[in-house]
């Protein structure tokens, strides 16, 4: 598996394994229609997480190998009116700040073999009852591309 897909998969597995985040939908950027996925999550639970690998660079530390430097971003979106409505039995019970701090715990740098490490968060918007935060991260992956045999 290439390092981009391997990072996505490792992040998704950690999110799905965490009991406090299991009921929070996580939409991956590679799945296609991210906007519809987050709208659906906001309409029912009132909260959702998008995981995107927004940018990457390559370093060439040795011949034949790469270090892939990835810049993943989590976007945590909460529809406050739905998510914090005491009459909404589908509400997640977690606020955006609960999810952000849980991400800090799940991807703590002292835990073994973390695929990413988080570097900070920003409030992007607070509009019409919708809170949107980004949580930035960094990742490094070693990659040795398969070399095609040279023709004689």
């Amino acid at each position: 598996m290439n390092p981009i897909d391997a990072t996505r998969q490792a992040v998704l597995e950690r999110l799905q394994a965490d009991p406090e985040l299991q009921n929070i939908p996580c939409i991956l950027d590679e799945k296609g229609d991210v906007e519809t996925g987050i709208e659906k999550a906001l309409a029912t639970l009132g909260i959702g997480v998008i995981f995107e690998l927004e940018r990457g660079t390559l370093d060439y530390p040795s011949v034949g190998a790469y270090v892939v430097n990835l810049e993943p971003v989590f976007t945590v979106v909460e529809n406050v009116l739905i998510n914090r409505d005491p009459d909404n039995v589908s509400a997640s019970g977690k606020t955006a700040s609960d999810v952000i701090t849980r991400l800090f715990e799940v991807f703590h740098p002292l835990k073994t073999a973390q695929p990413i490490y988080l570097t900070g968060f920003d409030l992007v918007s607070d509009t019409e009852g919708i809170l949107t935060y980004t949580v930035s991260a960094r990742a490094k992956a070693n990659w040795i591309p398969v070399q095609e045999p040279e023709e004689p």
Side-chain angles (χ1 to χ4, degrees):
M1 183 180 298
N2 72 61
I4 296 168
D5 290 341
T7 300
R8 275 191 191 106
Q9 186 62 36
V11 166
L12 185 61
E13 287 172 4
R14 280 180 174 70
L15 293 174
Q16 291 173 338
D18 185 74
E20 291 188 39
L21 293 175
Q22 283 179 340
N23 68 336
I24 308 291
C26 182
I27 296 108
L28 299 180
D29 61 349
E30 66 148 2
K31 294 294 182 188
D33 193 357
V34 172
E35 189 173 322
T36 300
I38 200 67
E39 284 176 6
K40 183 178 175 185
L42 290 177
T44 54
L45 294 175
I47 197 161
V49 176
I50 302 166
F51 179 72
E52 300 171 288
L53 289 169
E54 287 192 347
R55 180 180 147 89
T57 59
L58 295 175
D59 290 333
Y60 305 96
S62 65
V63 176
Y66 301 104
V67 173
V68 182
N69 301 295
L70 300 171
E71 295 181 18
V73 174
F74 290 96
T75 303
V76 179
V77 185
E78 179 187 10
N79 183 328
V80 175
L81 300 175
I82 292 175
N83 192 43
R84 300 186 194 183
D85 179 359
D87 296 327
N88 181 2
V89 294
S90 298
S92 70
K94 304 268 186 269
T95 65
S97 59
D98 291 335
V99 172
I100 291 167
T101 55
R102 190 64 196 160
L103 289 172
F104 293 159
E105 293 172 23
V106 170
F107 296 102
H108 192 283
L110 295 180
K111 292 187 176 179
T112 306
Q114 287 295 2
I116 64 173
Y117 64 94
L118 304 182
T119 59
F121 70 96
D122 293 298
L123 174 64
V124 176
S125 69
D126 179 356
T127 308
E128 298 178 15
I130 306 289
L131 292 172
T132 304
Y133 290 88
T134 58
V135 180
S136 53
R138 296 228 185 262
K140 284 187 182 269
N142 293 319
W143 181 41
I144 301 174
V146 175
Q147 299 293 323
E148 296 294 325
E150 292 184 22
E151 292 188 30

